[in-house]
Amino acid sequence: MVIDIDNLSLTFQTNDGPVHALSDIDLQIDEGDFVSFIGPSGCGKTTLLRVIADLEQPTAGTITVNGLTPHEARLKRAYGYVFQAAALYPWRTIAGNIALPLEIMGLSKAEQRARIAKNMELVNLAGFEKKFPWQLSGGMQQRASIARALSVEPDLLLMDEPFGALDEIVRDHLNDQLHQLWAKTNKTVVFVTHSIPEAVYLSTKIVVLCPRPGRIYDVIESDLPRERTLDMRESPEFLKIAHRVREGLKAGHSYDD
Amino acid sequence: MSMIASTKRRFDIPALLAWFIIAMAAIALFSPVFSPDFAITEVPRLAICLVLLAILGVRYELGFMRNQVGDLILGLVAAAAAWLLIDTAGRHVGDAALGFWTLTAATWASAWLFIERLANWKGMSPLASRFIDLAIPALFGATILVLWQLIVTGAGVPKVLLPAPSEIWLRLTTSVPILWADFQQTFMKAVLIGYVMGCGAGFIIAILVDRVPFLRRGLLPVGNLVSALPIIGVAPIMVMWFGFDWPSKAAVVIIMTFFPMLVNTVSGLAASDAMQRDLMRTYAANYWQTLFKLRLPMAMPFIFNALKINSTLALIGAIVAEFFGTPIVGMGFRISTEVGRMNVDMVWAEIAVAALAGSLFYGLIALAERAVTFWHPSIRG
């Protein structure tokens, strides 16, 4: 088991009183899983991901990552994190950006070069090493940020709506690439999204969250085969899972406010 | 091709300028050029000047040689007319009459016309257009100097009020050893050393304030207070503390440059956004790694702002501080004593040196800024 979350809650103290961002979360994520968190805005899906990454501290409950606390796991660089925006540093070339975590880890120059080449190849960016981020399209920037996360060579990849800002066509393309990447490397991926087709297409397990307080409404184990193609999105099995996700989102969403 | 560009405008400025030149030349023909009662025919140089300008104006209006060769001839005529006017004015100081002033106006208009035409040259190689981009402000500056010269000599403005550029130039070239000694004393010692120490201290304190949060509350208000000190009050005290020589001036420069650097660096260090800092956290980067790999690069546009502001502040501070006691060398010392001796041309020579040094200093920092913050949207364009 890679991630084990037990009875976890997180309450933010704000000027307007406490906000229950997460409440009584129980979740297990196994090695090689592709898990999507889906839910409306404010349901705590990003917060949950940030708790796993030790970017937020839970106020109650326990969580382990690779059997360690999130803090220890972060210090051991157990995961790669992909943010909503590419967050590439504009003064570094693409290769320089991918080298950033490797420099911090203190790897040798030769090792850095080898990892940069390998991961740029993996996200189909070979040949763009010397370009600066602002010379690339949004999709390419996000791919570069994925290569940067992968270059740490983590077994766990945390992705926070990485394709949220991209258009449908680029998004399909990157989903396909991400799926192949996952199938090839057998990493564990935790993926935050609010797109139902994206979640169903990519995931082996879909966690539907609902807001106020942020909690898990449904956990759907996908029975789709591990190998997937974009055409599968028209198949009855796919639509059945998508329907269940949509029902979960509808039921969990309170429209009173 | 430039015809198309000029006809699009509401006013065809080049054509208006050419008419203006013809009109001014015509007035000069029938007016005295110098008092008492020198007609244009009695001053052969100005007669040549008038003929050249008249031909130039008529030629342009007739549309003859409206090409780059014609434009170059235009520039040569403007330069020749300027030289003829300056030369004759030097022999009739303070005697200029209507004809002289109309010729001056015509020369000015022809220089304008030349620059106007030059700015519209098309289809140049990158090197040539770069050269023209530099030539236009240079010509503009030269035009102002010529007008200054003509007005001061033509009207006979007393030297104490405003010396002519030629007198300032003469003083500059004959006093090189004095000016160089002053420059060394004020710029190379007080300004540069004070600048490096003031900016360096501001930068280091900014890092300290950032690293030790309680200092932010303690040190920033003190820095604020130091910046509010009036230089006129501080300079004499610094002279008491550090003596007459350059260290007291460097101290004033340090006080003036410290605070802009501190404030800019502090806000620059806060310029990175939450996502960028979270990214460094996910890599388990420590404080110094985050500082050097993220926050300092991010702060560079702010730091260069301070460096640029400080480059001018430092020069002002060092020169003004020398008014309050100094050995008998230094730009500020020279300015204050030569004013007292009515040697205003020397004061202007020092001003010219200070302006040149200040501009070069600023320009060097701006160049460094372009190289370091090439990635910033304001520079990458």
Side-chain angles (χ1 to χ4, degrees), chain A residues 10-111:
Chain A
L10 196 163
T11 306
F12 290 115
Q13 297 299 337
T14 69
N15 290 336
D16 301 330
V19 173
H20 301 284
L22 295 172
S23 131
D24 296 330
I25 305 282
D26 284 298
L27 185 67
Q28 281 76 41
I29 295 174
D30 291 321
E31 197 173 340
D33 267 353
F34 195 119
V35 178
S36 287
F37 296 167
I38 190 166
S41 307
C43 69
K45 53 192 190 300
T46 294
T47 309
L48 184 54
L49 195 71
R50 289 174 64 85
V51 168
I52 298 172
D54 185 40
L55 298 174
E56 304 286 354
Q57 308 306 322
T59 42
T62 57
I63 169 171
T64 60
V65 177
N66 290 336
L68 305 167
T69 67
H71 182 70
E72 290 162 342
R74 177 171 70 81
L75 294 185
K76 286 196 162 175
R77 297 172 179 113
Y79 64 83
Y81 198 105
V82 180
F83 290 87
Q84 283 172 357
L88 298 166
Y89 293 176
W91 54 88
R92 283 173 173 253
T93 59
I94 296 302
N97 268 289
I98 298 174
L100 175 72
L102 310 178
E103 287 170 16
I104 291 168
M105 290 161 74
L107 298 186
S108 71
K109 284 275 171 211
E111 175 70 20

Side-chain angles (χ1 to χ4, degrees), chain B residues 51-328:
Chain B
V51 170
L52 283 176
L53 287 168
I55 292 173
L56 176 147
V58 171
R59 176 195 65 93
Y60 189 86
E61 285 305 342
L62 292 178
F64 176 61
M65 269 176 83
R66 279 197 190 174
N67 53 25
Q68 299 191 344
V69 178
D71 292 343
L72 283 178
I73 293 173
L74 186 61
L76 285 176
V77 168
W83 182 78
L84 289 166
L85 283 166
I86 289 169
D87 188 53
T88 43
R91 290 152 206 257
H92 301 267
V93 175
D95 288 340
L98 180 64
F100 180 85
W101 295 124
T102 56
L103 284 177
T104 302
T107 305
W108 162 73
S110 60
W112 183 356
L113 180 57
F114 176 53
I115 293 175
E116 186 82 26
R117 295 285 296 171
L118 203 58
N120 279 321
W121 279 15
K122 302 237 164 53
M124 307 295 294
S125 71
L127 190 71
S129 54
R130 179 99 188 100
F131 178 75
I132 289 175
D133 283 349
L134 288 175
I136 287 172
L139 285 170
F140 192 82
T143 307
I144 288 174
L145 282 180
V146 167
L147 281 179
W148 176 354
Q149 175 78 25
L150 288 177
I151 291 169
V152 167
T153 46
V157 175
K159 200 168 146 183
V160 180
L161 289 187
L162 187 64
S166 61
E167 291 167 317
I168 298 170
W169 176 250
L170 190 70
R171 174 62 73 176
L172 235 158
T173 46
T174 51
S175 327
V176 169
I178 296 177
L179 290 170
W180 175 244
D182 290 347
F183 177 76
Q184 274 189 311
Q185 171 77 11
T186 305
F187 194 86
M188 310 285 267
K189 291 178 185 160
V191 170
L192 283 188
I193 292 173
Y195 180 82
V196 168
M197 288 175 72
C199 291
F203 179 78
I204 290 167
I205 298 294
I207 303 276
L208 257 175
V209 162
D210 180 71
R211 187 80 179 108
V212 190
F214 95 89
L215 286 181
R216 189 190 305 266
R217 271 169 284 156
L219 266 183
L220 277 186
V222 174
N224 210 333
L225 185 82
V226 170
S227 80
L229 295 177
I231 177 183
I232 304 292
V234 172
I237 294 171
M238 290 301 126
V239 173
M240 304 273 220
W241 286 3
F242 299 107
F244 277 105
D245 213 346
W246 64 267
S248 58
K249 284 75 198 172
V252 172
V253 174
I254 290 172
I255 289 173
M256 286 188 81
T257 56
F258 171 77
F259 189 69
M261 192 63 176
L262 175 67
V263 173
N264 273 285
T265 309
V266 166
S267 37
L269 288 175
S272 57
D273 62 49
M275 196 184 286
Q276 290 172 319
R277 284 196 297 272
D278 279 347
L279 185 71
M280 295 306 265
R281 261 175 75 80
T282 68
Y283 300 144
N286 62 31
Y287 174 81
W288 297 106
Q289 284 170 328
T290 308
L291 183 71
F292 283 113
K293 291 190 190 294
L294 167 64
R295 300 175 66 214
L296 277 184
M298 218 49 203
M300 276 304 158
F302 292 80
I303 292 172
F304 270 102
N305 257 343
L307 287 175
K308 287 194 289 188
I309 295 166
N310 281 347
S311 72
T312 50
L313 281 182
L315 202 56
I316 296 170
I319 289 176
V320 172
E322 284 182 4
F323 283 33
F324 298 94
T326 172
I328 51 164

